[in-house]
Amino acid sequence: MNDTAYGISRLRAVPSARNDEEERVAACARTDGESRAVAAAPRIAKRLTAWWEANARDLPWRFGRATPWGVLVSEVMSQQTQMSRVVPYWQAWMELWPDATALAGASTAEVITMWGRLGYPRRALRLQECAQAVSERYADELPRTYEQLVALPGIGDYTASAVMSFAFGRRIAVIDTNIRRVLSRVFLGKESMGGAASATERELANTVLPQDPSASVMWNQSVMELGAVVCVAKKPLCERCPIAGECLFLESGLPGLGEKRTRPRQRFQGTDRQVRGIVLNALRTLPGAQTSLPREQVESLWKDHVQLDSCIASLDEDGLIEILADGSLRLPR
DNA sequence: ATCCAGGTCA
DNA sequence: TGACCCGGAT
């Protein structure tokens, strides 16, 4: 891990009559944050690597134990969902459908049932669509470019980047809310704001990312892990942080910790999301041989029948349920 | 009981 | 920009 690997040479490459040291000082003055970040990143990377090796959670898709498809499944399941909740679902899922072609051939009802209570069941549908695309267009082999990955159903910027980094070992900045929070705190000394990642945050992520591909993978996974277990949003465990000595946020006295910075959250109680969840859960957990829920039992699920019917209609539009002629509901075949 | 975390898509 | 789900923390 030398300076060149982190882009120092680029900063020094500005034409100048002054010597390198003068140029470095001038560069610091011009782009204080970036220059400081570039200088600190190698030290931080070293500490994070040691911390990762001693503290990384033993998730089943880590340490080379999963195929690229398995890594993709873990990332899709982990969107908007805590890792600890994902583990048992991922294990059962991968046992049943070890590759894209296996998932492509499953019934929708089975897929929704196995998705269980992970939440946002449209992700399950998109994952199966993704499996069908991979199976048919790419002969069951996950494509290896960001552009091809991000074009797949349910795969956005984060998941495409995560697969490129964690499954294929390529050098690419992975940007999720954990990484944004950690990088913003450590290098900018302030909280990351809600909403989409800003241009500044993206530039920072690319600036501090190690040049060496395998070092960049370690960086991505260790920064993300730190954000998940130490540098958490509300009560960061700075006394257990391996890079507390390098953190501008801690140095500044944690300014604005606890201020509203996440996207405004929608209430859950009484929302369509809750009602949709109730309906789908009833269908997922039908007893024994029963394959559909009679209209009468559907109506007992939620008092407000106007809202219930609109949720049933939206579930139908999403392809998550089928409405039979007699008004009973079932999971799609 | 209420608050909160977390990517993708339209 | 808002819709989408669930469970853990407080």
Side-chain angles (χ1 to χ4, degrees):
Chain A
M1 292 190 192
N2 55 34
D3 285 347
T4 305
Y6 287 85
I8 290 272
S9 60
R10 184 174 60 76
L11 288 184
R12 282 181 177 164
V14 178
S16 171
R18 292 170 295 187
N19 67 32
D20 280 357
E21 180 56 18
E22 279 173 342
E23 178 53 38
R24 193 189 63 75
V25 172
C28 279
R30 274 203 313 276
T31 60
D32 188 33
E34 177 173 323
S35 193
R36 184 197 172 279
V38 168
R43 295 195 304 272
I44 292 174
K46 204 169 174 178
R47 289 183 176 279
L48 285 177
T49 298
W51 176 80
W52 167 270
E53 280 163 1
N55 296 283
R57 291 171 292 177
D58 186 23
L59 302 170
W61 51 83
R62 284 182 171 171
F63 316 117
R65 288 174 293 180
T67 61
W69 176 254
V71 171
L72 181 142
V73 172
S74 80
E75 292 299 341
V76 171
M77 287 183 170
S78 301
Q79 294 165 5
Q80 309 291 292
T81 308
Q82 303 287 350
M83 293 285 194
S84 57
R85 288 177 56 211
V86 167
V87 171
Y89 287 99
W90 184 87
Q91 300 194 114
W93 188 282
M94 293 307 293
E95 196 156 321
L96 193 51
W97 301 305
D99 51 42
T101 299
L103 179 59
S107 80
T108 307
E110 225 183 338
V111 167
I112 294 169
T113 301
M114 285 301 286
W115 195 257
R117 301 188 67 79
L118 272 175
Y120 297 123
R122 288 186 301 191
R123 287 184 295 167
L125 258 32
R126 295 212 184 97
L127 181 56
Q128 189 180 29
E129 288 164 30
C130 177
Q132 286 158 354
V134 170
S135 179
E136 290 161 20
R137 302 213 293 263
Y138 298 109
D140 205 24
E141 185 96 11
L142 203 54
R144 291 175 178 261
T145 71
Y146 173 91
E147 288 71 24
Q148 288 171 311
L149 288 167
V150 83
L152 292 167
I155 309 301
D157 171 70
Y158 163 74
T159 306
S161 304
V163 169
M164 287 301 289
S165 181
F166 303 143
F168 297 137
R170 303 295 301 276
R171 182 186 181 276
I172 186 168
V174 174
I175 301 182
D176 76 336
T177 56
N178 284 327
I179 289 185
R180 286 171 63 193
R181 182 174 59 251
V182 172
L183 296 184
S184 182
R185 284 176 174 176
V186 172
F187 293 106
L188 307 178
K190 60 181 191 183
E191 293 286 20
S192 164
M193 292 301 155
S198 66
T200 305
E201 286 178 312
R202 293 192 167 276
E203 281 164 30
L204 174 62
N206 280 290
T207 298
V208 297
L209 186 69
Q211 290 298 129
D212 175 66
S214 69
S216 77
V217 173
M218 174 60 77
W219 174 266
N220 284 330
Q221 64 192 1
S222 60
V223 173
M224 198 179 310
E225 185 80 347
L226 191 77
V229 305
V230 172
C231 193
V232 294
K234 225 184 155 184
K235 287 184 159 182
L237 306 170
C238 300
E239 65 285 348
R240 281 189 228 165
C241 180
I243 56 171
E246 303 279 358
C247 182
L248 211 47
F249 189 59
L250 180 58
E251 194 183 312
S252 315
L254 314 180
L257 180 68
E259 270 178 19
K260 196 172 80 169
R261 55 193 144 41
T262 55
R263 277 207 265 180
R265 297 283 147 191
Q266 204 186 0
R267 296 273 161 283
F268 181 59
Q269 289 296 323
T271 59
D272 287 359
R273 268 158 44 254
Q274 183 189 21
V275 179
R276 286 165 55 105
I278 288 168
V279 172
L280 213 50
N281 191 49
L283 295 179
R284 237 193 269 112
T285 57
L286 283 175
Q290 193 180 343
T291 58
S292 70
L293 194 67
R295 175 71 198 177
E296 187 183 294
Q297 288 176 48
V298 173
E299 287 174 354
S300 71
L301 293 172
W302 192 254
K303 275 194 301 189
D304 180 346
H305 287 186
V306 174
Q307 186 182 21
L308 179 62
D309 282 336
S310 96
C311 288
I312 288 167
S314 76
L315 285 167
D316 181 43
E317 282 164 31
D318 287 343
L320 285 163
I321 64 169
E322 284 176 358
I323 305 171
L324 304 183
D326 63 359
S328 61
L329 306 181
R330 73 175 185 197
L331 295 175
R333 303 282 85 202

